[in-house]
Amino acid sequence: MAEGTHLSEQECWELLHSQEFGRMAYELDGQPNIVPLNYAVDGQQLVFRTAEGSTVHGLCQDRHVAFEVDQVVEEVGSSVVVRGTAVVLPPEEELRLEQVGLRAWLGDNRPVLIAIRPSEVHGRRYPLQRPWRSMLR
Protein backbone atom coordinates (compact mmCIF):
# COMPACT_ATOMS: atom_id res chain seq x y z
CA MET A 1 0.00 0.00 0.00
CA ALA A 2 1.31 3.44 -0.90
CA GLU A 3 2.23 5.58 2.07
CA GLY A 4 1.70 8.83 0.24
CA THR A 5 3.68 11.99 0.66
CA HIS A 6 3.64 14.41 3.55
CA LEU A 7 2.18 17.84 2.86
CA SER A 8 4.11 20.88 3.99
CA GLU A 9 2.43 23.15 6.51
CA GLN A 10 1.76 25.65 3.71
CA GLU A 11 0.13 22.91 1.58
CA CYS A 12 -2.01 21.90 4.57
CA TRP A 13 -3.26 25.47 5.01
CA GLU A 14 -3.90 25.79 1.27
CA LEU A 15 -6.10 22.68 1.41
CA LEU A 16 -7.88 23.98 4.51
CA HIS A 17 -8.52 27.30 2.72
CA SER A 18 -9.86 25.53 -0.38
CA GLN A 19 -12.51 23.56 1.51
CA GLU A 20 -15.51 24.52 3.63
CA PHE A 21 -16.59 21.22 5.14
CA GLY A 22 -14.86 18.83 7.52
CA ARG A 23 -15.29 16.71 10.63
CA MET A 24 -14.42 17.55 14.20
CA ALA A 25 -13.73 14.90 16.84
CA TYR A 26 -13.97 15.56 20.56
CA GLU A 27 -14.80 13.79 23.79
CA LEU A 28 -18.35 13.95 25.14
CA ASP A 29 -19.21 12.31 28.46
CA GLY A 30 -16.09 10.14 28.28
CA GLN A 31 -16.86 8.89 24.77
CA PRO A 32 -15.41 9.90 21.39
CA ASN A 33 -17.77 11.94 19.24
CA ILE A 34 -17.45 13.29 15.71
CA VAL A 35 -19.56 15.89 13.93
CA PRO A 36 -19.58 17.24 10.40
CA LEU A 37 -19.39 21.00 10.17
CA ASN A 38 -18.74 23.84 7.80
CA TYR A 39 -15.91 26.16 8.72
CA ALA A 40 -13.75 29.05 7.59
CA VAL A 41 -10.06 29.78 8.04
CA ASP A 42 -9.27 32.86 10.09
CA GLY A 43 -5.52 33.46 10.07
CA GLN A 44 -3.98 30.40 11.70
CA GLN A 45 -7.19 29.07 13.21
CA LEU A 46 -10.40 27.42 12.05
CA VAL A 47 -13.74 28.94 13.01
CA PHE A 48 -17.28 27.64 12.94
CA ARG A 49 -20.75 28.40 14.25
CA THR A 50 -22.87 26.12 16.36
CA ALA A 51 -26.07 26.17 18.36
CA GLU A 52 -26.21 25.72 22.09
CA GLY A 53 -26.21 22.00 22.81
CA SER A 54 -24.09 18.90 22.80
CA THR A 55 -21.17 20.21 20.75
CA VAL A 56 -20.66 23.23 22.97
CA HIS A 57 -21.25 21.06 26.03
CA GLY A 58 -18.60 18.60 24.83
CA LEU A 59 -16.12 21.35 24.13
CA CYS A 60 -16.59 22.76 27.60
CA GLN A 61 -15.79 19.36 29.13
CA ASP A 62 -12.61 18.73 27.17
CA ARG A 63 -11.34 21.42 24.86
CA HIS A 64 -8.91 19.17 22.99
CA VAL A 65 -10.24 18.48 19.52
CA ALA A 66 -9.16 17.04 16.19
CA PHE A 67 -10.44 18.31 12.86
CA GLU A 68 -10.09 16.56 9.51
CA VAL A 69 -10.72 17.68 5.95
CA ASP A 70 -10.08 15.72 2.80
CA GLN A 71 -10.21 16.15 -0.93
CA VAL A 72 -10.27 13.73 -3.86
CA VAL A 73 -9.28 15.06 -7.28
CA GLU A 74 -9.03 12.55 -10.12
CA GLU A 75 -6.74 9.80 -8.79
CA VAL A 76 -5.23 11.73 -5.87
CA GLY A 77 -6.59 11.93 -2.32
CA SER A 78 -5.41 14.51 0.20
CA SER A 79 -6.14 14.73 3.90
CA VAL A 80 -5.28 17.29 6.58
CA VAL A 81 -5.66 16.74 10.32
CA VAL A 82 -5.59 19.63 12.77
CA ARG A 83 -5.19 18.96 16.49
CA GLY A 84 -5.64 21.75 18.97
CA THR A 85 -7.94 23.41 21.43
CA ALA A 86 -11.41 24.78 20.89
CA VAL A 87 -12.37 28.08 22.44
CA VAL A 88 -15.69 29.88 22.48
CA LEU A 89 -15.31 33.33 20.92
CA PRO A 90 -17.15 36.42 22.14
CA PRO A 91 -20.25 37.48 20.15
CA GLU A 92 -18.56 40.72 19.06
CA GLU A 93 -16.32 38.62 16.77
CA GLU A 94 -19.32 37.81 14.54
CA LEU A 95 -19.00 40.68 12.06
CA ARG A 96 -15.28 40.15 11.62
CA LEU A 97 -15.73 36.41 11.06
CA GLU A 98 -18.36 37.02 8.40
CA GLN A 99 -15.59 38.79 6.47
CA VAL A 100 -13.56 35.54 6.34
CA GLY A 101 -16.57 33.68 4.94
CA LEU A 102 -18.04 32.07 8.03
CA ARG A 103 -21.67 31.26 7.19
CA ALA A 104 -24.18 28.80 8.61
CA TRP A 105 -25.02 26.28 5.89
CA LEU A 106 -28.22 25.14 7.56
CA GLY A 107 -29.74 28.62 7.50
CA ASP A 108 -30.78 28.48 11.13
CA ASN A 109 -29.53 30.51 14.04
CA ARG A 110 -26.17 29.23 15.25
CA PRO A 111 -25.02 32.01 17.55
CA VAL A 112 -22.07 30.32 19.26
CA LEU A 113 -18.73 31.07 17.60
CA ILE A 114 -15.92 28.60 18.16
CA ALA A 115 -12.28 28.69 17.07
CA ILE A 116 -9.96 25.71 16.80
CA ARG A 117 -6.48 26.93 17.66
CA PRO A 118 -4.01 24.41 16.24
CA SER A 119 -1.16 22.87 18.15
CA GLU A 120 -0.42 20.49 15.26
CA VAL A 121 -1.28 20.51 11.55
CA HIS A 122 -0.26 17.67 9.26
CA GLY A 123 -1.40 16.22 5.99
CA ARG A 124 -0.76 13.60 3.35
CA ARG A 125 -1.39 13.13 -0.34
CA TYR A 126 -2.03 9.64 -1.70
CA PRO A 127 -2.23 8.22 -5.20
CA LEU A 128 -5.51 6.33 -5.37
CA GLN A 129 -5.84 2.85 -6.79
CA ARG A 130 -9.42 2.56 -8.03
CA PRO A 131 -9.44 0.12 -10.97
CA TRP A 132 -13.20 -0.42 -10.70
CA ARG A 133 -13.81 3.11 -11.99
CA SER A 134 -12.66 2.12 -15.47
CA MET A 135 -15.13 -0.80 -15.36
CA LEU A 136 -18.06 1.58 -14.78
CA ARG A 137 -17.45 3.69 -17.90
Side-chain angles (χ1 to χ4, degrees):
M1 180 173 174
E3 290 189 26
T5 57
H6 289 277
L7 299 177
S8 68
E9 187 170 344
Q10 179 179 341
E11 289 172 313
C12 289
W13 283 103
E14 287 170 3
L15 181 60
L16 289 164
H17 273 280
S18 75
Q19 303 298 306
E20 300 179 73
F21 186 78
R23 288 155 297 284
M24 183 181 68
Y26 61 99
E27 188 175 318
L28 179 64
D29 296 328
Q31 297 295 316
N33 194 35
I34 191 163
V35 292
L37 54 86
N38 68 290
Y39 72 96
V41 176
D42 176 35
Q44 294 289 306
Q45 66 182 4
L46 307 176
V47 291
F48 65 95
R49 294 176 160 281
T50 191
E52 294 289 344
S54 65
T55 300
V56 173
H57 175 69
L59 293 172
C60 291
Q61 287 183 38
D62 183 344
R63 294 176 179 236
H64 297 285
V65 299
F67 180 85
E68 190 270 341
V69 65
D70 52 39
Q71 177 185 54
V72 175
V73 177
E74 300 297 327
E75 300 301 319
V76 177
S78 301
S79 176
V80 172
V81 174
V82 175
R83 288 187 180 89
T85 55
V87 295
V88 177
L89 298 174
E92 51 271 12
E93 290 282 314
E94 184 170 7
L95 288 176
R96 188 183 67 76
L97 293 177
E98 285 180 5
Q99 300 303 310
V100 299
L102 182 60
R103 308 279 190 280
W105 278 14
L106 300 179
D108 58 356
N109 186 21
R110 298 191 176 255
V112 181
L113 303 169
I114 297 180
I116 299 173
R117 296 188 174 147
S119 58
E120 177 184 344
V121 177
H122 62 88
R124 288 186 158 231
R125 183 172 293 122
Y126 300 90
L128 302 177
Q129 304 291 321
R130 302 187 295 178
W132 60 88
R133 293 190 77 201
S134 63
M135 292 183 242
L136 298 175
R137 295 181 186 158

